[in-house]
């Protein structure tokens, strides 16, 4: 590239105008040599190794292209390569389209990663050398076991037996690690130590079965940063690759940047978005890593957070990985969704093994029943505000940003009042969390927090009293996890559920209605029985079509005829976060302003933009349009990056305040 002065596409390692069409030539040769089906499997990968897997509907025309270069001088061992043999999997009749398309994606991933690595090794051996030197899994396993031995000391809690239960959970995880590979459930109440116990299972199981890595998949970046910090403390910085949008290492680590391209590291911590969307993409930049998911242990933390509109495609991926690609999958959660196959859910998971043998018994232990739940029914905004004012330390979790702000302003200038929402950039939220924890640790300091759901899933914070706007039982259970989390209140914490006409969101209405129905039928709405009933009703009422809203599986299975798979359509339709938001960079502090200045003058802005993600807020399209109309944005690099130029719109208490 340097020698020729050529600009390269982000998905192609060489791009020369007028180069021979080697990809079509190679694809056609494979197709002609190996036959209509087997040859076409390889042809997809070969044809797309620069530009992405081609769409099946137009691929046949490309294979018939007449003007291709003469490749008769190609080495004999390539022209007459041996038949690769039988397909290494047995497709099911009802799922074979998805399974074959997924196999093509795996082959494609192997090809493009090998192509990139070979090119890199030839042109830049120093860069290639940075990919080596990770610690072995047995070294990491010994470090973890040594750390776990230090955790057996008594904890500051009114439930001294909590350590015994945590030790039992760990023992079950270590025993289960001896089992054969497959699908596992780890159902552990909040406070049961599932993060490190699941890691202990994963490392031991990987060593027993000759697996290569552990991939920890988490729904929210707020939990990722927390869990990755725990893993680094135990295993060492050099062992853990953190791959998500908000991550910025304290020191720019060349090896971690390279490993994020193809996940060639022993422990990966990533998001649902990064993991699942990569498995449905067609471009090399996203697909390159997925062959390294094979022969791994994948832990889905907070598995109840799998996106319901894409649930069936997600489950098909998990089935494929565990049945055909040597991957063990662990669904790890405190609120286990009803994902097993049953009569009214035929697309559920089969042959799932419970790691903890009797989770119901565990949930009924007094040590894990730390919260009393009461449903207040409908209450007015004024009544809710008065209830919150009477509490010294209280968290109130709401469904919408609009209502969170309304209630925060209704609370007035109360001492210790704090507002949290996604309209605060991550760096700002981190500061707020630290302020909240300091107030909670000081008995004489009030702390009243009004927040959207961002505080719910896995955030390590502990209030004696929590109010939760009516939502799904999975959300209510997550809110309970922020209440008396450490078990320090002998009488238990209090979770109050309420409903408000001001806090209704169409997306959550059905979930809330199902929760109300389950609450009428179950005295303990945090029991596994109630949670199971909630998910069964949710999935049944949604129906199969609503669990695959974009009909991704149907389109792939229909593509089996003639092996014409809609790869472009699948790539476009599988989106966990819909593209109706725009990132706005906030000049929040000196570090942000310094990076923005670098961004203005950089010819290669991507690495700087990555560091700026901790200072970025996502806004909806109508809010973005309003900012443009107010001339409140500075746009850089052909409208690719947008910076808030009017900082009067960003408040310390609210974040980005987009008033009408």
């Amino acid at each position: 590239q340097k020698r020729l002065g050529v600009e390269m596409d982000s998905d192609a390692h060489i791009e020369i105008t007028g180069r021979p069409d080697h990809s079509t030539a190679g694809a056609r040769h494979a197709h002609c040599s190996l036959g209509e089906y087997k040859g076409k499997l390889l042809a997809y990968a070969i044809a797309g190794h620069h530009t992405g897997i081609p769409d099946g509907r137009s691929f046949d025309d490309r294979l018939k292209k007449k003007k291709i270069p003469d490749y008769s001088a190609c080495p004999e061992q390539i022209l007459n390569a041996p038949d690769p043999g039988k397909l290494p999997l047995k497709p099911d009749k009802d799922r074979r389209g998805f399974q074959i398309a997924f196999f093509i994606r795996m082959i494609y991933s192997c090809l493009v990663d090998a192509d990139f690595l070979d090119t890199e090794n030839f042109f830049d051996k120093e860069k290639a050398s940075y990919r080596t030197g990770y610690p072995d899994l047995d070294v990491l396993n010994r470090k973890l076991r040594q750390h776990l031995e230090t955790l057996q000391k008594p904890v500051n809690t009114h439930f001294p037996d909590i350590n015994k239960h945590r030790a039992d959970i760990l023992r079950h995880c270590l025993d289960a690690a001896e089992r054969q590979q497959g699908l596992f459930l780890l159902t552990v109440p909040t406070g049961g130590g599932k993060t490190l116990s699941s890691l202990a299972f994963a490392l031991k199981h990987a060593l027993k079965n000759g697996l290569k890595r552990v991939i920890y998949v988490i729904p929210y970046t707020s939990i990722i940063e927390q869990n990755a910090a725990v893993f680094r403390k135990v295993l060492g910085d050099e062992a853990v690759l953190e791959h998500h949008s908000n991550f910025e290492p304290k020191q720019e680590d060349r090896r971690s940047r390279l490993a994020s391209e193809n996940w060639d590291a022993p422990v990966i911590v990533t998001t649902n978005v990064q993991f699942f969307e990569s498995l449905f993409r067609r471009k090399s930049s996203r697909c390159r890593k997925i062959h390294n998911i094979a022969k791994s242990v994948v832990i889905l933390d907070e598995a109840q957070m799998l996106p319901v509109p894409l649930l069936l495609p997600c489950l098909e991926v998990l089935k494929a990985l565990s049945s055909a690609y040597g991957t063990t999958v662990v669904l790890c959660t405190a609120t286990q969704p009803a994902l097993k196959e049953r009569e009214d859910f035929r697309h559920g998971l089969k042959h799932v093994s419970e790691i903890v043998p009797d989770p119901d018994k565990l949930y009924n232990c007094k040590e894990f029943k730390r919260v009393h739940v009461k449903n207040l029914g409908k209450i007015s905004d004024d009544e809710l505000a008065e209830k919150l004012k009477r509490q010294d330390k209280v968290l109130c979790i709401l469904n919408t940003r609009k209502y969170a702000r309304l209630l925060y302003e209704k609370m007035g200038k109360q001492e210790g009042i704090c507002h949290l929402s996604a309209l605060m950039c991550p760096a700002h939220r981190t500061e707020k969390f630290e302020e909240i924890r300091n107030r909670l640790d000081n008995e004489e300091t009030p702390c009243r927090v009004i927040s959207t759901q961002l505080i719910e899933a896995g955030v390590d914070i502990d209030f004696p009293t929590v109010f939760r706007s009516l939502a799904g039982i999975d959300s209510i259970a997550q809110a309970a996890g922020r209440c008396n989390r450490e078990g320090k209140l002998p009488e238990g914490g209090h979770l109050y559920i309420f409903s408000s006409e001001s806090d209704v969101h169409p997306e959550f209405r059905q979930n809330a209605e199902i929760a109300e129905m389950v609450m009428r039928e179950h005295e303990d709405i945090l029991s596994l029985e109630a949670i199971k009933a909630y998910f069964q009703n949710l999935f049944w009422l949604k129906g199969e079509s609503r669990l695959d809203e974009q009909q991704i599986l149907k389109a792939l299975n229909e593509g089996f005829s003639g092996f014409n798979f809609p790869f472009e359509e699948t790539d476009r339709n599988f989106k966990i976060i819909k593209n109706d938001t725009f990132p706005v960079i906030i000049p929040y502090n000196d570090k942000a302003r310094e990076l923005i200045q670098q961004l203005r003058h950089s010819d290669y802005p991507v690495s700087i933009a990555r560091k700026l993600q901790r200072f970025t807020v996502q806004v909806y399209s109508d809010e973005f349009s309003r900012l443009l109309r107010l001339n409140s944005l500075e746009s850089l690099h052909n409208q690719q990056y947008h910076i808030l130029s009017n900082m009067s719109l960003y408040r310390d208490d609210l974040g980005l305040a987009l008033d009408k």
Side-chain angles (χ1 to χ4, degrees):
Q1 179 195 13
K2 292 176 183 175
R3 198 169 63 241
L4 298 174
V6 176
E7 285 241 358
M8 293 200 297
D9 182 284
S10 62
D11 285 303
H13 52 286
I14 280 188
E15 187 68 41
I16 303 173
T17 305
R19 74 183 188 275
D21 187 3
H22 63 294
S23 57
T24 301
R28 199 165 90 173
H29 179 73
H31 189 234
C32 294
S33 301
L34 299 175
E36 175 66 24
Y37 293 105
K38 200 182 296 183
K40 198 167 185 180
L41 288 180
L42 299 180
Y44 270 110
I46 296 167
H49 74 279
H50 284 303
T51 57
I53 309 174
D55 197 64
R57 291 159 185 165
S58 59
F59 190 37
D60 283 342
D61 292 337
R62 186 171 169 186
L63 290 174
K64 295 171 185 174
K65 184 178 176 181
K66 293 181 179 179
K67 289 186 178 181
I68 59 172
D70 178 11
Y71 57 87
S72 58
C74 191
E76 187 69 20
Q77 64 265 37
I78 294 178
L79 288 178
N80 295 314
D83 189 303
K86 292 182 179 179
L87 199 67
L89 70 154
K90 293 181 179 178
D92 298 335
K93 183 180 179 182
D94 295 336
R95 304 164 52 225
R96 57 191 180 184
F98 168 83
Q99 290 173 308
I100 297 296
F102 191 74
F103 180 65
I104 291 170
R105 220 179 244 107
M106 274 288 185
I107 290 178
Y108 177 71
S109 174
C110 293
L111 173 63
V112 295
D113 191 34
D115 195 16
F116 273 105
L117 292 175
D118 256 6
T119 305
E120 177 182 279
N121 193 50
F122 183 81
F123 284 108
D124 192 345
K125 291 189 182 297
E126 182 187 1
K127 181 179 177 182
S129 70
Y130 278 94
R131 295 186 183 273
T132 60
Y134 285 105
D136 294 332
L137 290 182
D138 60 339
V139 173
L140 302 183
N141 190 44
R142 286 198 298 272
K143 283 187 175 182
L144 177 60
R145 297 300 293 273
Q146 289 168 4
H147 176 78
L148 291 170
E149 287 174 7
T150 69
L151 300 182
Q152 299 307 308
K153 60 184 179 181
V155 292
N156 180 20
T157 175
H158 290 276
F159 302 107
D161 286 342
I162 191 75
N163 266 357
K164 177 182 178 299
H165 291 299
R166 289 172 179 166
D168 287 343
I169 291 165
L170 175 60
R171 178 173 50 81
H172 289 311
C173 286
L174 293 173
D175 290 346
E178 296 286 343
R179 298 180 205 164
Q180 291 184 336
Q181 286 188 255
L183 289 162
F184 290 84
L185 296 179
L186 177 57
T187 310
V188 174
T190 299
K194 65 182 172 70
T195 299
L196 288 180
S197 291
S198 62
L199 183 62
F201 166 90
L203 289 174
K204 184 178 179 182
H205 186 76
L207 287 168
K208 179 184 181 296
N209 293 282
L211 307 182
K212 298 181 292 184
R213 61 186 50 83
V214 175
I215 302 173
Y216 220 92
V217 185
I218 302 176
Y220 295 131
T221 53
S222 58
I223 322 172
I224 271 206
E225 293 167 351
Q226 182 177 287
N227 285 12
V230 172
F231 293 160
R232 281 201 191 86
K233 180 180 177 182
V234 176
L235 304 177
D237 287 345
E238 72 282 357
V240 180
L241 170 67
E242 194 174 340
H243 188 196
H244 62 89
S245 61
N246 286 344
F247 178 57
E248 180 201 341
K250 290 180 181 176
Q251 289 185 328
E252 199 65 32
D253 185 340
R254 190 174 185 184
R255 187 168 63 176
S256 70
R257 290 203 311 272
L258 294 174
S260 67
E261 296 172 352
N262 66 348
W263 283 5
D264 191 8
V267 178
I268 314 288
V269 187
T270 190
T271 58
N272 280 353
V273 172
Q274 186 65 243
F275 182 81
F276 284 104
E277 288 194 357
S278 294
L279 288 162
F280 286 90
R281 290 292 173 263
R282 56 179 288 271
K283 291 284 190 176
S284 61
S285 56
R286 293 297 292 272
C287 289
R288 183 178 170 183
K289 67 177 82 72
I290 67 176
H291 74 99
N292 277 332
I293 298 173
K295 297 206 73 179
S296 299
V297 180
V298 173
I299 300 173
L300 293 174
D301 194 22
E302 306 293 353
Q304 76 282 354
M305 299 300 297
L306 289 176
V308 173
L310 296 168
L311 183 64
L312 297 188
C314 288
L315 294 183
E316 284 302 315
V317 158
L318 300 181
K319 292 175 191 175
L321 288 171
S322 62
S323 64
Y325 299 95
T327 302
T328 287
V329 177
V330 182
L331 301 171
C332 183
T333 179
T335 53
Q336 190 66 67
L339 296 177
K340 292 183 183 179
E341 184 188 48
R342 56 184 187 273
E343 191 173 332
D344 62 341
F345 192 51
R346 62 189 182 90
H347 289 293
L349 301 173
K350 299 179 183 178
H351 313 302
V352 184
S353 177
E354 283 276 9
I355 291 177
V356 175
D358 191 353
D360 287 290
K361 182 180 178 182
L362 189 64
Y363 272 69
N364 288 325
C365 294
K366 64 179 181 180
E367 287 78 10
F368 293 119
K369 285 187 170 294
R370 300 189 298 266
V371 180
H372 304 289
V373 183
K374 183 177 181 181
N375 186 5
L376 301 177
K378 288 185 179 180
I379 59 176
S380 68
D381 301 341
D382 289 333
E383 187 181 357
L384 176 59
E386 286 304 314
K387 287 182 180 293
L388 296 177
K389 288 176 184 177
R390 289 197 291 267
Q391 302 286 335
D392 279 337
K393 287 182 168 56
V394 63
L395 167 65
C396 183
I397 305 174
L398 305 167
N399 293 322
T400 62
R401 296 190 313 207
K402 181 179 178 182
Y403 188 51
R405 177 171 175 178
L406 184 152
L407 186 62
Y408 167 75
E409 292 177 337
K410 193 171 280 290
M411 291 286 290
K413 299 295 183 181
Q414 291 281 310
E415 185 184 358
I417 186 72
C418 179
H419 171 272
L420 284 170
S421 91
L423 286 175
M424 294 172 168
C425 67
H428 189 180
R429 293 203 303 266
T430 298
E431 291 176 5
K432 288 292 183 184
F433 278 130
E434 191 62 30
E435 178 187 329
I436 290 165
R437 290 188 179 100
N438 290 337
R439 284 186 166 276
L440 289 172
D441 289 341
N442 187 335
E443 291 184 7
E444 298 179 2
T445 306
C447 183
R448 304 177 179 98
V449 177
I450 312 296
S451 177
T452 57
Q453 309 99 300
L454 68 86
I455 202 170
E456 241 169 24
V459 176
D460 189 7
I461 208 158
D462 187 1
F463 282 84
T465 304
V466 175
F467 283 71
R468 181 57 169 98
S469 185
L470 183 64
I473 286 185
D474 53 337
S475 296
I476 293 170
Q478 289 292 340
R482 303 325 111 205
C483 183
N484 195 22
R485 184 176 178 84
E486 302 300 328
K488 295 178 181 178
L489 301 175
E491 74 282 1
H494 293 276
L495 171 64
Y496 297 102
I497 303 165
F498 65 91
S499 58
S500 166
E501 295 294 335
S502 305
D503 196 34
V504 178
H505 192 290
E507 191 176 330
F508 308 131
R509 187 186 298 274
Q510 188 178 58
N511 302 49
E513 289 172 351
I514 296 170
E516 277 191 306
M517 179 182 70
V518 172
M519 280 192 277
R520 288 194 293 269
E521 298 172 355
H522 293 81
E523 185 176 346
D524 181 4
I525 65 161
L526 299 181
S527 68
L528 284 185
E529 196 175 280
I531 292 166
K532 182 180 178 182
Y534 167 77
F535 278 109
Q536 284 182 339
N537 278 284
L538 177 67
F539 296 160
W540 180 76
L541 285 173
K542 292 279 186 186
E544 288 186 5
S545 63
R546 297 289 298 279
L547 301 180
D548 182 9
E549 280 190 347
Q550 300 296 327
Q551 299 293 290
I552 289 168
L553 296 182
K554 181 182 178 183
L556 288 171
N557 287 325
E558 288 176 351
F560 180 78
S561 175
F563 279 20
N564 290 321
F565 300 108
F567 286 109
E568 284 188 18
E569 181 184 311
T570 302
D571 184 309
R572 192 167 55 249
N573 288 339
F574 192 97
K575 283 188 170 49
I576 292 178
I577 299 174
K578 295 176 181 176
N579 283 338
D580 60 349
T581 61
F582 295 82
V584 174
I585 299 167
I586 309 297
Y588 177 66
N589 56 21
D590 289 342
K591 177 67 181 296
R593 287 187 283 273
E594 178 187 335
L595 289 169
I596 289 168
Q597 189 66 10
Q598 293 175 24
L599 187 71
R600 288 190 180 105
H601 302 291
S602 174
D603 293 329
Y604 303 99
V606 175
S607 62
I608 300 168
R610 184 180 178 218
K611 295 177 183 179
L612 278 165
Q613 286 169 336
R614 283 197 57 75
F615 305 100
T616 299
V617 167
Q618 298 288 336
V619 300
Y620 295 118
S621 56
D622 61 326
E623 296 168 331
F624 184 75
S625 298
R626 194 183 313 157
L627 287 169
L628 287 174
R629 288 197 302 272
L630 292 170
N631 293 319
S632 296
L633 295 177
E634 174 191 359
S635 298
L636 300 176
H637 297 285
N638 296 320
Q639 311 290 315
Q640 189 174 359
Y641 305 107
H642 305 279
I643 300 159
L644 184 68
S645 56
N646 180 5
M647 278 300 284
S648 67
L649 296 177
Y650 195 90
R651 290 169 47 177
D652 181 68
D653 57 344
L654 294 175
L656 189 58
L658 296 169
D659 300 300
K660 290 185 179 178

